[in-house]
Amino acid sequence: MDHFDYRSGELHCDEVPAQALVEEYGTPLYVYSAATIRHHFSVLTDAFAAYPPLICYSVKANSNLSLLALLAELGAGFDVVSGGELQRVQEIGGSPQKVVYAGVGKTDSEIRLALAAGIFLFNVESESELHRISRLAHEAGQIAGVAIRVNPDVDAKTHRYITTGKRENKFGVDLEQARQVFEAAAQLPGVEAQGIHIHLGSQITDTTPFVAGVRRVREFLASLGEIGEAVRWLDIGGGFGVHYRGEEALPADQFAAAIVPELEGSGLGLILEPGRFIMGNAGVLLTRIVTAKGNPERRFLICDAGMNDLVRPALYDSYHRIAPVLGDSSDVDGVKTDVVGPICESGDFLGLDRALPAALSEGDLMAVFSAGAYSYTMASNYNTRPRPAEVLVDGAEHRLIRCRETIDDLLAAERAALREAPQA
Ligand code: LLP
């Protein structure tokens, strides 16, 4: 469910026509719907009401400060994967006691930052990381809460780049080695193993991997004896899928109906780390057609947004629905069209082989849907292209939540070096 609808043939975000946003803020433009974000957060909370979880929104999906502030207001905690993401949470005054910190390559300075912030749990990805956290916490006179991230070897059946819970992936510790890591944690100073963490992958549209993952973890904890009994939290990561083509995602209550019975009676607190589920369908990318051209086989609509603004189609071959801002909400029975960007690579496309109205031409606006997650956060400056502006719509209100970058912003970090370069 989202709040992007066509009213009298014109795309609206909540009460605001998309065209009005473009007139004010320009293109390419990321537009987010506050009502959609709130809706997804409450759907998740309601679905798991019988077993209330700590919801740690996964900052990597969309880390805009205003969106983090909105989620903190709703009561969300945060899942971070870098010192930078933690600093974003600090910037908006998010409670450190609701922050979990994963990541296979935490540096000493990042660990120190998280210790100083007083985060809730480090999701520990290796035995050597455990030793480092122990040493740094001990030096700081602290006890760090840790959850050991285990790799349950479950196939999430999603794109291979976003599958994370299989043995060949770099994340977490094999279940066979995990016993040793828990035993080490019980001996080491400065750490207390309070939790166990899994994350199976992203855009998962089936409940089976979660059931299998939770069962494996519970069997493992039972086999740990006394050390296992000390574990109070099970963090099942993120991964709940969203709609890209149609209605392919599962409602949250189906995930809850499958997962909760596996936990009842365990005494374990549940942590969820949803990113895409909350943000994916809450954003669109608006872009203007710069050039229309074609040959007998193909029509190309060349837009002012490209793979630097939205890399998912190029990187994962992922499908984002594309439709004109004025006209129809769905791909109509039109002309076969490649919707591409201006970047000098053939992989620079937003969508291939789409049926789009023959009348679409230069200057017209298009919307790329389901662009709320892993879209702005993965944008780059490739081809020296400033990143787009971001706007948050709330009912009839709208405001800029990130300025469009300028060429000056891009050049600033290099200019000093140019001035200081030795003269020939
Ligand atoms: N927790 C951990 C430890 C994660 O690694 C991730 C995502 C999440 C939670 C949130 O997963 P979600 O609920 O959003 O599925 N760039 C890719 C997705 C990469 C996901 C990385 N990890 C994409 O655009 O599809």
Side-chain angles (χ1 to χ4, degrees), residues 115 133-139 142-146 188-192:
L115 286 169
I133 295 173
S134 158
R135 177 171 54 77
L136 295 169
H138 189 58
E139 276 169 21
Q142 285 179 253
I143 307 280
V146 301
L188 286 167
V191 285
E192 189 186 353

Side-chain angles (χ1 to χ4, degrees), residues 71-91:
L71 284 160
E73 232 172 75
L74 299 175
F78 297 98
D79 153 46
V80 302
V81 289
S82 69
E85 286 190 349
L86 175 57
Q87 282 173 280
R88 284 182 176 273
V89 174
Q90 290 179 308
E91 185 80 22

Side-chain angles (χ1 to χ4, degrees), residues 58 60-61 79 102 149 162 164 197 199 201-203 237-240 273-277 312 316 373-374 378:
S58 193
K60 65 177 85 63
D79 153 46
R149 178 168 180 177
I162 53 176
T164 42
H197 176 227
H199 170 73
S202 201
Q203 186 56 15
F240 299 165
E273 300 175 349
R276 194 189 311 263
F277 183 84
R312 302 192 71 258
Y316 313 114
Y374 306 108
M378 295 179 75

